[in-house]
Amino acid sequence: MTKAEAESPFGQRLIHQLLAISRDGHLSLEEVAALDKMLENAPRTMQAVPYLYDITQDMLSDRTFSDREANTLRVAIGRVVPKAVRIEINRMLAEMGLPPSDAEHESPVGKRSWQHDPATARQIDFIRDLGATPQSNLTKGEASILIDDLLDRRPPSRRQLMVLRFFARLDLASHTKDEVCVWMDNLYDDKPHYQLAWQKFKQDIGFDASHIDIEDVPLGGYKNYIDKWR
């Protein structure tokens, strides 16, 4: 989040909401839903918006979320807020076994200590949740790098696969979650009526991701809606 974005009216509201989520040490479904609603119609030119919105949509897709998903959101919050705000949520990151989000403020000794200490139980569990097997004697620094790499290589989410079916782009199903997210953002930025088509489809079927299979989304279904939104 840039300085100008952070100082804008929406930026201030978003920061306040993110701090509220981070301070109590517990993420509830209601908090995630409130953040998701705020992000839904927020300016997508602010890079933090689509980044966070993709995460909240995944968390709400089945009306529940795992500890791994909660950790993912907390780490994402640490990445998008300004440095001054990031200091306030360092305790949350420490509880997850991740490096302080304002690591540049640590002393060189502190950095070396953190990097070479044994990986925490939370880091090990998180790595396993992401589908990898951590090696023995893994350090905190090595675990953090591995976690970032695993997050970058995640496959598309269930919701993203539904979107790919709807727009007949299953050729992207083998790409990473982040790559599909970039494709979706570019598509909606270039052709806003495509996003309206997806939203109208969801309204028509009373979309509830917890009660619909991926295959229930019609392949190329956007063709039945697109002309209405040109």
Side-chain angles (χ1 to χ4, degrees), residues 1-2 4-6 8 10-11 14 42-51:
M1 192 180 297
T2 66
E5 289 172 343
S8 69
F10 175 77
L14 179 59
R44 298 184 70 83
T45 52
M46 185 182 293
Q47 291 185 354
V49 169
Y51 175 55

Side-chain angles (χ1 to χ4, degrees), residues 68 79 127 130-133 145-157 160 173-180:
R68 176 181 61 80
R79 287 173 174 169
I127 290 169
L130 291 171
T133 301
I145 292 171
L146 178 57
I147 288 170
D148 283 342
D149 184 53
L150 290 170
L151 288 173
D152 288 341
R153 292 190 284 115
R154 286 173 299 173
S157 68
Q160 286 179 322
S174 60
H175 289 216
T176 68
K177 181 176 180 178
D178 288 344
E179 288 171 340
V180 174

